[in-house]
Amino acid sequence: NVQSRSLLLDALALIFSSGDDTRQLITNAFTQMKYQDFIIPDWFKNRGTSSVPGYYLCEDALELWDCLSQYVTEVVELTYDNDNEVKSDTELRDFCREITECGFKGFK
């Protein structure tokens, strides 16, 4: 995840470069983000656009969010018998640690 984000930043900087330090601009924008900014239903709700008629980006994103949420829920329910098994899964804990300490390092 960390390596992918670095590659993405470099690619975006190349695409949008206009002589300024685009990579730094994008990095600065990312540091203002919070983990909650990636919760799609809240993202639209906080902007007051979750119930705008004909806003297809919102409608499609929420539909995709629901599909992914249902998929993840089903995988978790198939994999674990109870909450304690989830909590004791070291691979899952390592993944969460990577997201919070590496992937979102510097995020609020």
Side-chain angles (χ1 to χ4, degrees), residues 41 43-53 55 58-59 62:
W43 191 85
F44 286 110
K45 182 181 175 187
N46 292 339
R47 284 154 185 75
T49 58
S50 59
S51 59
V52 174
Y55 187 21
C58 178
E59 293 170 10
L62 291 175

Side-chain angles (χ1 to χ4, degrees), residues 3-17:
Q3 185 180 22
S4 296
R5 188 174 56 197
S6 179
L7 292 171
L8 176 64
L9 286 174
D10 289 339
L12 288 172
L14 264 173
I15 293 169
F16 296 110
S17 182

Side-chain angles (χ1 to χ4, degrees), residues 50-90:
S50 59
S51 59
V52 174
Y55 187 21
Y56 302 117
L57 172 64
C58 178
E59 293 170 10
D60 292 347
L62 291 175
E63 188 174 330
L64 180 58
W65 179 270
D66 288 342
C67 288
L68 290 170
S69 179
Q70 181 179 347
Y71 172 77
V72 169
T73 299
E74 290 176 10
V75 169
V76 168
E77 288 173 351
L78 285 170
T79 307
Y80 304 101
D81 290 327
N82 56 55
D83 288 348
N84 287 331
E85 286 186 13
V86 175
K87 291 176 186 176
S88 64
D89 185 327
T90 56

Side-chain angles (χ1 to χ4, degrees), residues 21-40:
D21 192 355
T22 307
R23 189 180 202 291
Q24 187 61 46
L25 290 172
I26 295 168
T27 299
N28 291 346
F30 278 141
T31 60
Q32 299 302 312
M33 295 178 80
K34 299 179 289 299
Y35 184 78
Q36 291 76 12
D37 292 333
F38 294 96
I39 300 172
I40 299 299

